[in-house]
Amino acid sequence: MAIKVSLPDGSVKNYDAPVKIIDIANEISPRLADASICGELDGKLVDMDHVIDHDSALVLHTFKTDTGKDVYWHSTAHLMAQAVKQLYPEVKVTIGPAIEQGFYYDFDRDQPFTDEELVLIENRMKELSAAGHKYSRRELTKPEAMEIFRQMGEDYKLEILAEIPDTDTISTYTQGDFIDLCRGPHIGDTSKIKAIKLLKTSGAYWRGDEKNKMLRRIYGISFPSNKELNEYLLFLEEAKKRDHRKLGKDLDLFSINDDIGPGLVLWHPNGAMIRHLIESYWKEEHLRKGYKLVYTPHVGRSKLWETSGHLGFYSENMYAPMQIDEQEYYIKPMNCPFHIAIYNANHHSYRELPMRLGELGTVYRYERSGVLHGLMRVRGFTQDDAHIICTPEQMDEEVEKLIVFSLDMLKQFGFKDFLIYLSTRPEGSVGEVEDWDKATNSLRMSMEKLGLDYQVDEGGGAFYGPKIDIKIKDALGRAWQCTTIQFDFNEPTRFDMNYIGPDNSPHRPYMIHRAVLGSVERFFATLLEYHAGNLPLWLAPVQIMVIPITDNQMEYGKLLVEKLQLLGYRTEIDTRGEKIGYKIRDAELKKIPFMFVIGKNEETEAKVTLRQHTKGDLGAMSFDEAIKAIREQQ
RNA sequence: GCCGAUGUAGCUCAAAGGUAGAGCAAUUGAUUUGUAAUCAAUAGGUUGGGGGUUCAAUUCCCUUCAUCGGCUCCA
């Protein structure tokens, strides 16, 4: 009997008899064997003590791969459940997966876990890790598994088991006195988990449904070494520093005032300047891309929202109506009915399409109090909204243009990494399945053509159409949706939108809702976090600070300010009677991109000393040289 | 909305059942300074709001609002 095992480097190992993966790893190098977390056999994840009995392709995963981390953290979740069960036997276990940064486990327990208890659990985990319990897999039938968990009184496991097909093989993993229903794979034994930190607790609904019981969730993370854990904790500290809420306060960009209301943003002059620059750029780019800008009211009669359907499907997010002349008006949660009204104000020929109507439209939506989050999630925000009304034939081209446009614009702001999602038809959708398929295909084909990586969210579309979403991550790695491109098979019909075709008869156009930045507020927040507040020159509210060393250079300084302002630079001068170090520190803390430091020497030689934020002194030079240097640096 | 934590001066934080303190910022004065904090003085708070217990509450209790971390939902 000969077994061939091929490895990722192309080499092939031959064995006369079935062989364990751990033995193969050891053969390659004991260090690799030690670092290996699990194996991937012909694409299927298996334990390190899995026996290979036929020709296969083997990949070994260490903590360096995403899969390796996933398995490692999942195993740590089991370890945590073991510790919790030992300390609190009355607690029922539910599920405990790995997540992007660590793991969690949900427990059913009446009282919450306190910070002190977290420390106890963490310490017990360390003891259990030191004991080196082996994770051992056992395969069994469904009735056998049911019996085990019934005896243990683990109701949630029984509920999960009940949903697994009777014919499937069930597996359990046991380490020490703890047994859990689990597909696996797992690390070899608990001693591989060297550094553990339980981070936070929270409530979480069983199966994520708020109708279900709320469970107690514990989040944690683990690493093969203390060094890596400390690095991670340092990362969390650093991330706090680039939180847009902190930067917004430090740089005096915006505030949210209790007396005005939660989720309602006040833009201070510095933040307003940045927003103005973003919006100006946005308008220019849209005009360049053939969009028409429009403005629409903030409220509309109830009839409008009846026609659009919002009162039916979106009322939960809408504020109560106000009475004007005994008529009910609603503050707008979306801009689309208004844009449609503009379209419908005239008859349109197919020759006018595609029509692209764009607006920085401020909308108000009721968000549940627990979800508000700085500028990321607010109750009043401005969407960079546009509606593209086109013929079915124009759809493919429009979608492709849109994706390119969106990515280009995001890149202009410095973003490089995106998460792209395609969401398809959900249950209870409106419109013809045929239209849905066409539109979904159009979205898919465009992304394929552009060679974009994307994930499909089956059934995740809105009820009125499929969509593409582009998300950007914040300082802590949480993803926020910015760009959204959504088909709408609902409103064109409801508002009876038409265009006259070449056949001289009316046709229903396709309509696409789209926002590139998403909302200006959220985009601004991600932008701030992405740059850690160090905005590129073109977006900095103050670009150059002139810093005279003594009052004697004040006149020369004011002259420089005038010259810089004439060139279009946003410039200020620090006239305070402070020492140079103080003024420089202040400008650095305000993250102003450039400083002109001027003393007696500079004035007599008609020069300036240029200093760049975070980079330091660039030396003395003429005004023109300084401008040249600024242009080159950015 | 749900689970948990938090709320003290503009900011960052301290104190404590006997009536609140520091640093920075601010204001004023002095200093005229060479690349990340000059010195001094002054001013600043019904300790988020309301209610209760108490001789006395900022501290203990209740309630409400907001914030933070999650869940759910979404731009």
Side-chain angles (χ1 to χ4, degrees):
Chain A
M1 178 182 191
I3 298 168
K4 284 193 169 96
V5 178
S6 57
L7 297 164
D9 65 358
S11 63
V12 178
K13 290 190 173 284
N14 294 294
Y15 299 92
D16 310 331
V19 57
K20 276 187 183 182
I21 293 175
I22 184 73
D23 295 334
I24 299 177
N26 253 314
E27 213 176 283
I28 298 167
S29 98
R31 265 183 73 182
L32 176 67
D34 187 48
S36 291
I37 287 168
C38 68
E40 185 176 339
L41 210 55
D42 296 325
K44 189 170 166 273
L45 295 177
V46 291
D47 295 321
M48 286 302 287
D49 63 4
H50 181 87
V51 177
I52 301 179
D53 57 8
H54 60 276
D55 293 356
S56 328
L58 173 68
V59 179
L60 291 170
H61 285 285
T62 68
F63 195 75
K64 286 194 171 62
T65 71
D66 286 346
T67 303
K69 283 191 181 72
D70 205 76
V71 170
Y72 189 86
W73 284 332
H74 183 192
S75 298
T76 314
H78 276 227
L79 182 66
M80 180 166 75
Q82 181 181 13
V84 168
K85 283 296 281 189
Q86 285 190 2
L87 291 166
Y88 314 100
E90 76 284 3
V91 165
K92 284 181 182 157
V93 296
T94 68
I95 56 161
I99 52 177
E100 210 167 307
Q101 292 177 18
F103 59 88
Y104 67 77
Y105 209 113
D106 286 344
F107 302 97
D108 183 4
R109 184 199 197 207
D110 288 337
Q111 65 276 48
F113 290 103
T114 63
D115 287 350
E116 293 73 38
E117 287 176 320
L118 241 53
V119 173
L120 290 179
I121 296 165
E122 192 178 299
N123 288 338
R124 179 62 64 94
M125 286 172 75
K126 286 171 186 164
E127 289 166 29
L128 290 169
S129 160
H133 294 297
K134 205 173 156 336
Y135 285 83
S136 51
R137 180 185 174 89
R138 181 183 162 208
E139 293 186 355
L140 59 178
T141 63
K142 186 166 163 180
E144 288 171 327
M146 296 284 272
E147 187 48 34
I148 289 173
F149 290 103
R150 189 174 297 124
Q151 278 179 14
M152 290 164 59
E154 295 290 6
D155 305 336
Y156 293 90
K157 293 292 173 191
L158 290 173
E159 197 177 323
I160 295 166
L161 270 170
E163 287 176 16
I164 300 175
D166 291 349
T167 49
D168 278 22
T169 306
I170 308 282
S171 60
T172 61
Y173 276 80
T174 305
Q175 88 267 16
D177 58 355
F178 180 74
I179 178 164
D180 203 351
L181 176 70
C182 186
R183 188 178 294 131
H186 278 285
I187 56 175
D189 71 90
T190 58
S191 69
K192 281 190 184 294
I193 302 166
K194 304 280 195 217
I196 304 163
K197 181 79 185 167
L198 299 187
L199 296 165
K200 59 198 173 197
T201 58
S202 84
Y205 301 109
W206 167 237
R207 305 223 143 151
D209 188 334
E210 59 188 321
K211 290 190 209 76
N212 289 340
K213 183 166 185 188
M214 183 157 273
L215 308 169
R216 311 289 175 180
R217 176 173 296 182
I218 303 176
Y219 286 91
I221 197 158
S222 61
F223 292 95
S225 74
N226 276 311
K227 183 167 166 281
E228 287 158 291
L229 174 62
N230 290 334
E231 278 168 2
Y232 177 75
L233 295 175
L234 202 66
F235 157 77
L236 290 183
E237 286 298 311
E238 288 300 313
K240 268 189 204 157
K241 290 183 195 160
R242 50 165 71 202
D243 187 312
H244 76 278
R245 291 164 299 189
K246 177 167 168 48
L247 289 168
K249 201 174 271 178
D250 291 350
L251 303 178
D252 195 19
L253 303 176
F254 66 89
S255 62
I256 293 170
N257 183 312
D258 239 21
D259 292 336
I260 293 169
L264 302 170
V265 182
L266 294 171
W267 292 79
H268 297 201
N270 285 334
M273 174 53 78
I274 300 169
R275 174 171 170 170
H276 162 74
L277 294 161
I278 293 170
E279 293 185 348
S280 301
Y281 172 74
W282 185 91
K283 286 182 185 172
E284 282 167 27
E285 283 303 298
H286 278 73
L287 292 173
R288 233 172 254 150
K289 293 285 190 296
Y291 284 74
K292 312 279 189 205
L293 298 184
V294 297
Y295 293 94
T296 62
H298 286 68
V299 295
R301 280 189 177 172
S302 53
K303 184 168 183 300
L304 179 77
W305 305 106
E306 273 162 26
T307 306
S308 68
H310 284 91
L311 285 180
F313 64 81
Y314 207 71
S315 56
E316 272 184 17
N317 290 285
M318 291 171 70
Y319 291 101
M322 62 193 96
Q323 301 285 330
I324 303 175
D325 289 344
E326 291 167 33
Q327 297 273 338
E328 287 193 337
Y329 285 72
Y330 285 87
I331 192 153
K332 67 176 171 185
M334 292 190 191
N335 301 301
C336 32
F338 298 87
H339 291 191
I340 292 169
I342 290 173
Y343 178 86
N344 277 352
N346 295 302
H347 284 290
H348 296 287
S349 150
Y350 72 96
R351 295 175 193 275
E352 293 172 69
L353 304 183
M355 183 179 287
R356 309 181 189 95
L357 300 177
E359 177 183 17
L360 290 158
T362 303
V363 297
Y364 291 84
R365 297 182 186 174
Y366 172 71
E367 296 289 349
R368 297 157 107 186
S369 59
V371 306
L372 300 174
H373 182 99
L375 295 187
M376 294 289 190
R377 191 74 182 276
V378 292
R379 284 181 172 163
F381 59 99
T382 301
Q383 290 183 307
D384 68 314
D385 211 355
H387 293 88
I388 294 173
I389 298 146
C390 65
T391 67
E393 296 74 42
Q394 291 166 333
M395 167 179 71
D396 286 350
E397 195 187 336
E398 284 304 306
V399 167
E400 197 183 319
K401 274 185 182 169
L402 257 177
I403 297 170
V404 173
F405 184 28
S406 301
L407 291 173
D408 275 356
M409 185 168 282
L410 295 177
K411 282 174 190 160
Q412 282 302 312
F413 286 98
F415 294 109
K416 291 184 191 77
D417 298 318
F418 312 108
L419 301 167
I420 307 178
Y421 297 85
L422 169 67
S423 301
T424 62
R425 194 165 67 90
E427 298 284 315
S429 60
V430 301
E432 303 300 317
V433 174
E434 198 180 297
D435 282 336
W436 272 84
D437 289 346
K438 250 198 276 180
T440 309
N441 258 331
S442 176
L443 293 173
R444 186 176 279 127
M445 292 304 292
S446 298
M447 286 194 287
E448 301 280 344
K449 199 170 157 190
L450 295 165
L452 299 171
D453 278 333
Y454 64 94
Q455 294 175 45
V456 178
D457 181 2
E458 288 295 348
F463 76 89
Y464 51 79
K467 61 174 183 171
I468 290 177
D469 292 325
I470 303 179
K471 297 187 185 189
I472 305 178
K473 288 185 182 179
D474 73 7
L476 281 168
R478 295 174 292 203
W480 294 91
Q481 182 179 319
C482 288
T483 304
T484 185
I485 299 172
Q486 312 184 349
F487 271 87
D488 191 333
F489 296 121
N490 181 46
E491 287 184 305
T493 307
R494 283 176 165 272
F495 282 99
D496 192 25
M497 296 170 77
N498 289 302
Y499 67 90
I500 305 300
D503 58 358
N504 197 30
S505 61
H507 297 268
R508 179 114 317 147
Y510 269 33
M511 184 168 89
I512 304 169
H513 304 255
R514 45 112 287 180
V516 174
L517 311 179
S519 88
V520 179
E521 284 75 5
R522 180 178 290 178
F523 183 75
F524 180 87
T526 43
L527 185 71
L528 264 187
E529 299 203 353
Y530 184 79
H531 293 290
N534 301 310
L535 293 171
L537 186 70
W538 73 283
L539 286 167
V542 176
Q543 297 171 300
I544 302 167
M545 179 62 82
V546 176
I547 303 177
I549 289 174
T550 74
D551 286 353
N552 296 325
Q553 288 80 48
M554 213 56 80
E555 286 311 308
Y556 178 52
K558 285 177 182 167
L559 203 71
L560 288 172
V561 171
E562 278 177 33
K563 283 175 78 175
L564 287 167
Q565 284 174 342
L566 277 174
L567 288 171
Y569 288 107
R570 295 180 290 280
T571 312
E572 287 180 4
I573 181 165
D574 191 338
T575 57
R576 294 175 297 181
E578 295 290 347
K579 290 171 87 167
I580 179 72
Y582 182 90
K583 295 193 232 185
I584 284 175
R585 177 182 151 81
D586 203 50
E588 288 285 353
L589 290 176
K590 285 179 179 158
K591 301 180 186 287
I592 296 168
F594 288 99
M595 283 159 249
F596 276 16
V597 179
I598 48 167
K600 199 174 161 196
N601 300 338
E602 285 82 358
E603 185 169 11
T604 47
E605 293 169 35
K607 286 188 170 176
V608 302
T609 293
L610 188 63
R611 185 189 165 98
Q612 187 173 10
H613 174 52
T614 71
K615 298 224 171 75
D617 193 351
L618 302 179
M621 60 191 81
S622 72
F623 181 84
D624 290 344
E625 283 171 329
I627 296 298
K628 193 164 162 248
I630 289 171
R631 288 193 176 136
E632 277 170 6
Q633 291 281 351
Q634 296 286 325

